Amino acid sequence: MLQTILSKCDERYDVNCTQCVDCSYGEYCPHDCEKCLDYIHNPGHAPEGAPERKYDCAHMADFYTCKYACRYTSEIIYALRRFRDLINKEHIKVLSFGCGPCTDLFAIDYLKRNGEMHYQSIEYRGIDYSKEVWQRIHRDIKSFENDDCRIHFFYADMCEIIHEISQGTWTPNLIVFQYVFSDMHKHTGSTGTMDFINTFSQYYNEKVRINTYTLLNDVNLGTGYGGGREYFDRLYSKLESSTVRRGRFCNDNSRSPYYPRGYTYGEDSEGEFPDNSNLFDLRRWRRYSPFNTCASAQMLIKKEAGI
């Protein structure tokens, strides 16, 4: 699934992005999606007088997927391998917050094809507010649907749709927050993020069933450095009857003289996972400058009985 989606993104990028005539950034478009991404991650690099650059461009989504999807899919694969009881579940039901290009679905597909997961059917429900950005990629992903693979997308603000989810009867057995809290803190703020956490935790405590897994995967930075890792523990503190494991990948691209392997996070003084390798062959996507290692922080949660 991942390789098919990357190929389609790569093909579209070649056709559509040479001139960027309809770029959402207008006159400030640098005609280079990698530069646009840099403006998002480093606003000080944007042209003087330019408005804030946002994830609002379908061309940039194609570039973004080719650059980051292999890394993010690898991060999820490592996490799912630690959810040992999930491996033999017959039916997988995924609720994905901030699904974007659906790297969690790619990870599940990879593990199934690799003989590491043995589910018979999967239902995937992805939530993302940026319909115009992701709908072409989501349309490609939905082409994989069949009787045993059902894929649904909901284009809404997570802070709003969580109220609808909490009133529904459908319950997942895998919940994924993929680079959610860093983005939410940046665009919603601490008050809005905590409102979401409070509503989600109430839903989790009342509706989520025993043996449901929750994965939080995000940039290994606190809010003071453009991340949102503090929200991991704020969320977990509100969840009932649950166990947790924390950890992080070695960051080979860390520039800190004090944390050359990346900021510490985990159960012991380091919390570093034993391997941070990107699990995919990146040679075909080399022009997108993909990262050949993982670098995120993760919290893995399992709902237990009677804790």
Side-chain angles (χ1 to χ4, degrees):
M1 187 183 290
L2 172 60
Q3 299 303 320
T4 299
I5 300 305
L6 289 176
S7 295
K8 291 181 178 295
C9 289
D10 180 56
E11 181 180 351
R12 277 195 299 265
Y13 186 73
D14 270 341
V15 172
N16 296 319
C17 225
T18 53
Q19 298 299 321
C20 293
V21 293
D22 58 347
C23 176
S24 61
Y25 211 36
E27 63 180 292
Y28 296 100
C29 174
H31 304 287
D32 182 342
C33 287
E34 188 160 27
K35 288 185 178 179
C36 270
L37 284 173
D38 180 53
Y39 297 163
I40 293 174
H41 301 149
N42 302 285
H45 295 177
E48 185 176 353
E52 178 188 1
R53 192 67 180 104
K54 298 179 180 179
Y55 286 113
D56 60 1
C57 174
H59 302 325
M60 187 165 55
D62 287 329
F63 185 97
Y64 175 97
T65 301
C66 290
K67 182 177 179 65
Y68 289 106
C70 290
R71 169 189 258 196
Y72 294 168
T73 301
S74 296
E75 291 172 351
I76 298 295
I77 290 170
Y78 283 114
L80 294 179
R81 283 172 171 166
R82 298 182 180 99
F83 287 156
R84 296 190 181 278
D85 292 345
L86 196 64
I87 292 173
N88 292 313
K89 279 191 178 293
E90 186 174 351
H91 306 291
I92 301 293
K93 298 195 295 182
V94 185
L95 177 59
S96 180
F97 288 99
C99 63
C102 304
T103 49
D104 47 2
L105 182 59
F106 300 156
I108 294 169
D109 176 73
Y110 172 92
L111 291 170
K112 170 72 168 179
R113 294 174 185 272
N114 205 39
E116 297 181 63
M117 292 185 73
H118 309 291
Y119 60 86
Q120 299 302 309
S121 66
I122 180 170
E123 182 175 1
Y124 181 90
R125 297 192 176 190
I127 300 168
D128 201 291
Y129 65 89
S130 301
K131 180 178 182 179
E132 297 302 318
V133 175
W134 299 111
Q135 63 179 347
R136 295 189 305 191
I137 295 173
H138 289 173
R139 183 171 61 247
D140 294 337
I141 291 170
K142 281 184 71 66
S143 70
F144 285 89
E145 275 196 309
N146 55 47
D147 291 342
D148 298 320
C149 177
R150 309 304 301 171
I151 301 170
H152 312 275
F153 293 109
F154 302 87
Y155 300 105
D157 187 320
M158 289 183 299
C159 295
E160 297 175 2
I161 199 171
I162 185 60
H163 295 283
E164 297 180 31
I165 294 171
S166 64
Q167 298 302 313
T169 58
W170 184 85
T171 55
N173 50 30
L174 174 61
I175 303 169
V176 180
F177 292 91
Q178 176 72 318
Y179 286 84
V180 166
F181 290 113
S182 56
D183 185 71
M184 184 177 286
H185 179 77
K186 187 180 299 182
H187 297 106
T188 305
S190 59
T191 300
T193 305
M194 285 306 303
D195 286 345
F196 170 83
I197 286 175
N198 289 333
T199 304
F200 173 81
S201 59
Q202 182 178 359
Y203 159 74
Y204 180 97
N205 294 333
E206 294 177 358
K207 297 287 186 70
V208 170
R209 297 175 181 174
I210 295 168
N211 295 326
T212 295
Y213 290 90
T214 301
L215 168 62
L216 288 69
N217 187 61
D218 210 325
V219 59
N220 185 20
L221 293 172
T223 55
Y225 296 92
R229 199 185 59 196
E230 294 94 328
Y231 293 110
F232 285 19
D233 285 286
R234 293 175 188 174
L235 185 148
Y236 178 67
S237 69
K238 297 178 178 292
L239 304 184
E240 299 173 358
S241 302
S242 298
T243 55
V244 67
R245 179 179 179 185
R246 303 170 179 85
R248 54 103 183 172
F249 296 96
C250 172
N251 185 355
D252 290 344
N253 299 293
S254 174
R255 299 178 182 177
S256 170
Y258 305 105
Y259 299 96
R261 298 175 64 84
Y263 291 102
T264 59
Y265 181 70
E267 303 309 312
D268 53 31
S269 60
E270 290 291 333
E272 185 180 300
F273 298 135
D275 190 3
N276 71 341
S277 301
N278 190 313
L279 298 171
F280 298 94
D281 186 345
L282 304 175
R283 288 175 292 181
R284 184 178 173 187
W285 321 113
R286 190 172 297 161
R287 67 176 174 138
Y288 297 97
S289 303
F291 293 98
N292 59 9
T293 57
C294 303
S296 64
Q298 294 185 343
M299 176 175 280
L300 293 77
I301 302 169
K302 180 181 180 182
K303 190 162 189 180
E304 305 273 15
I307 293 181

